[in-house]
């Protein structure tokens, strides 16, 4: 009885907190929630708490998923908005045990006053947390909204639209085998389907788009050489557009802004949907695709105060565009090599307080934001985040 009363009290305590959380809109953001301990985290793109006991935990808050780092409320630019909510708002609650754990989360992402994205998330852990699954479902629906210009501003013509988007952004499955020779498997799957109905002067056109992305990571030979931990892995990723020619954009923002191509995108690899009354083969000579194979060496080392993690990688990508059929052109195939150098550093002067620094430098030859390799891109793309984590005591069960 005492345990039940404490659990109910914990739920009410969590619900009363007006604090910020740190989980975003995709499955990779939520995959560790059920195993995260109590903590307060404040980074460039996150601010929040995880609170609970050994049975129940919760979180609530914000994460900068939409690219507005450091800004919670800002001046809106769509349709004359005075204020816009920039980050993704997240909340979640979970039940945990050694045998089976389950959690549910919710994300709210504000695009503009016409469109918001709702993302419920289901999380399941089993086999003493060796099996983890996170399934997010994105839902974005708007009606009677103004169409948008190439930079997100309102178009000069008041063109009413209906937009519907359904997707799964990084469904993730992890399985730890417990065998050093082949210690972990990770599988990611993303899918996006959108329809964009535009009406003007009594004429209605409906565009649709559909994209799929699959990724497999195989971790093997987990061992220690001297004082350095080594865990190589191979990443294999496949992306394609089933309708239209747009790879990725699983947040659906770009599909909302660019339903049927634009001068921004060009002929071959831009933001194209297709007329809903036509077939994919009526519009394009071939479906676009991208295949990447990237061997990666994961290195780790630690002392009493500092822990380091490195991921040097070298990858190969083959990219096939989506040539418009009216140009009577065959599919163009692009081959490229890329390099990456990812690093994490944890500084822990005392046991419960940690400073975190993350850096990612890469050759960017596969194309940032799903653009074609090395087209209008900086030769080196640098990104980083930093911040603190304060590990808090558990509420306990007794």
């Amino acid at each position: 009885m005492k345990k039940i009363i404490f659990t109910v009290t914990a739920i009410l305590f969590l619900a009363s907190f007006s604090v910020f959380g740190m989980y975003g809109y995709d499955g990779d953001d939520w995959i560790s929630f059920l195993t995260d301990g109590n903590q307060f985290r404040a980074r460039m793109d996150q601010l929040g708490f995880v609170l609970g006991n050994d049975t129940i935990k919760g979180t609530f808050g914000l994460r900068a998923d939409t690219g507005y780092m450091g800004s919670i409320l800002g001046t809106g630019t769509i349709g004359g908005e005075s204020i816009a909510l920039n980050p993704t708002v997240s909340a979640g609650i979970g039940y945990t045990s050694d045998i089976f754990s389950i959690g549910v989360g919710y994300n709210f992402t504000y695009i503009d006053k016409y469109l918001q994205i709702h993302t419920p998330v289901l999380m399941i852990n089993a086999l003493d947390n060796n099996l983890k699954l996170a399934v997010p479902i994105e839902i974005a629906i708007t009606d009677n909204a103004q169409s948008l210009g190439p930079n997100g501003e309102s178009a000069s013509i008041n063109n009413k639209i209906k937009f519907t988007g359904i997707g799964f952004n990084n469904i993730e499955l992890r399985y730890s085998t417990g065998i050093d020779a082949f210690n972990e498997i990770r599988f990611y799957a993303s899918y996006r389907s959108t329809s964009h109905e535009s009406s003007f002067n009594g004429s209605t056109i409906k565009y649709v788009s559909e994209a799929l992305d699959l990724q497999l990571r195989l971790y093997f030979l987990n061992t220690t050489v001297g004082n350095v931990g080594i865990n190589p892995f191979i990443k294999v990723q496949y992306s394609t557009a089933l309708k239209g020619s747009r790879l990725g954009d699983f947040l659906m923002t770009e599909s909302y802004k660019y339903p049927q191509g634009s001068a921004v995108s060009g002929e071959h690899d831009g933001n194209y949907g297709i007329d809903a009354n036509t077939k994919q083969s009526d519009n394009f000579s071939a479906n676009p695709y991208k295949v990447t194979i990237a061997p990666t060496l994961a290195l780790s080392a630690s002392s009493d105060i500092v822990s380091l993690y490195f991921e040097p990688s070298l990858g190969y990508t083959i990219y096939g565009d989506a040539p418009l059929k009216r140009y009577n052109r065959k599919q163009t195939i692009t081959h490229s090599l890329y390099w990456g150098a990812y690093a994490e550093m944890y500084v822990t002067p005392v046991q419960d307080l940690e400073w975190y620094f993350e850096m990612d430098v890469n050759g960017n030859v596969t194309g940032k934001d799903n653009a074609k390799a090395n087209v209008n891109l900086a030769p080196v793309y640098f990104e980083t985040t930093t911040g603190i984590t304060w590990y808090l005591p558990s509420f306990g069960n007794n």
Side-chain angles (χ1 to χ4, degrees):
M1 185 67 182
K2 184 178 179 182
K3 181 177 179 180
I4 295 174
I5 293 174
F6 183 83
T7 301
V8 172
T9 304
I11 295 174
L12 295 175
F13 180 71
L14 289 167
S16 68
F17 258 87
S18 297
V19 297
F20 302 134
M22 48 199 159
Y23 299 100
Y25 61 80
D26 72 18
D28 195 43
D29 294 333
W30 285 93
I31 195 70
S32 64
F33 168 63
L34 292 174
T35 53
D36 280 343
N38 286 1
Q39 59 185 271
F40 166 73
R41 185 183 296 176
R43 295 181 183 173
M44 291 170 63
D45 58 346
Q46 304 171 15
L47 181 64
F49 286 95
V50 174
L51 294 172
N53 56 27
D54 294 335
T55 302
I56 193 166
K57 62 170 62 179
T59 186
F60 177 79
L62 306 174
R63 179 165 178 156
D65 278 321
T66 53
Y68 298 95
M69 298 179 72
S71 175
I72 297 174
L73 292 177
T75 302
T77 58
I78 307 298
E81 291 178 288
S82 58
I83 295 178
L85 178 67
N86 290 333
T88 288
V89 179
S90 67
I93 193 166
Y95 165 81
T96 61
S97 69
D98 292 337
I99 300 174
F100 180 80
S101 302
I102 187 169
V104 290
Y106 170 75
N107 298 280
F108 174 79
T109 304
Y110 183 88
I111 303 302
D112 58 50
K113 69 180 181 181
Y114 304 114
L115 182 70
Q116 298 86 44
I117 298 177
H118 305 271
T119 310
V121 186
L122 173 67
M123 295 146 281
I124 295 175
N125 285 15
L127 304 177
D128 199 20
N129 293 318
N130 288 317
L131 180 65
K132 298 180 180 180
L133 175 67
V135 182
I137 304 174
E138 290 186 34
I139 304 168
I141 300 174
T142 190
D143 192 2
N144 203 31
Q146 288 181 314
S147 63
L148 304 179
N151 296 314
E153 74 277 6
S154 295
S156 58
I157 299 176
N158 189 13
N159 184 20
K160 301 299 182 181
I161 66 170
K162 294 180 181 180
F163 177 83
T164 301
I166 303 294
F168 304 94
N169 193 57
N170 257 355
I171 295 176
E172 182 173 358
L173 176 68
R174 291 187 185 183
Y175 177 61
S176 299
T177 66
I179 303 171
D180 289 339
F182 183 50
N183 59 294
E184 189 172 60
I185 301 172
R186 297 185 186 182
F187 177 73
Y188 305 82
S190 297
Y191 171 81
R192 184 251 306 138
S193 176
T194 66
S195 67
H196 192 292
E197 186 175 313
S198 178
S199 300
F200 180 68
N201 287 342
S203 177
T204 300
I205 300 176
K206 184 176 181 180
Y207 290 95
V208 294
S209 66
E210 195 172 352
L212 176 68
D213 185 90
L214 303 173
Q215 184 185 129
L216 178 66
R217 295 188 183 189
L218 303 175
Y219 292 75
F220 55 93
L221 298 179
N222 185 24
T223 187
T224 301
V225 177
N227 295 319
V228 178
I230 301 176
N231 194 184
F233 67 90
I234 295 177
K235 179 178 73 173
V236 181
Q237 185 169 350
Y238 172 75
S239 305
T240 188
L242 305 175
K243 293 181 181 178
S245 66
R246 185 67 181 179
L247 304 180
D249 288 331
F250 291 99
L251 186 59
M252 295 181 283
T253 309
E254 294 301 311
S255 299
Y256 173 50
K257 293 180 181 179
Y258 305 108
Q260 74 283 352
S262 70
V264 175
S265 60
E267 176 199 342
H268 306 304
D269 54 2
N271 305 294
Y272 278 95
I274 62 171
D275 192 310
N277 298 315
T278 65
K279 298 179 180 179
Q280 176 77 350
S281 58
D282 295 335
N283 294 271
F284 300 102
S285 302
N287 280 10
Y289 70 90
K290 184 166 66 174
V291 178
T292 297
I293 300 175
T296 305
L297 182 61
L299 304 171
S300 60
S302 63
S303 66
D304 292 338
I305 296 178
V306 179
S307 296
L308 300 174
Y309 176 79
F310 301 102
E311 274 188 10
S313 62
L314 181 66
Y316 166 74
T317 293
I318 179 171
Y319 171 84
D321 68 352
L324 292 171
K325 204 162 189 178
R326 64 176 178 265
Y327 291 108
N328 194 27
R329 186 182 61 79
K330 294 183 179 181
Q331 187 174 49
T332 300
I333 306 298
T334 303
H335 303 266
S336 58
L337 289 175
Y338 79 93
W339 56 270
Y342 175 79
E344 295 177 1
M345 180 172 67
Y346 302 82
V347 179
T348 311
V350 294
Q351 182 178 0
D352 296 329
L353 187 63
E354 174 185 274
W355 177 69
Y356 173 83
F357 181 78
E358 176 185 14
M359 182 180 68
D360 186 11
V361 182
N362 60 77
N364 204 19
V365 298
T366 56
K368 180 177 178 290
D369 296 330
N370 298 299
K372 191 175 178 180
N374 291 325
V375 176
N376 298 322
L377 301 172
V380 175
Y381 177 62
F382 176 86
E383 58 185 347
T384 186
T385 187
T386 188
I388 64 166
T389 303
W390 177 21
Y391 294 99
L392 304 171
S394 172
F395 291 158
N397 277 332
N398 300 315

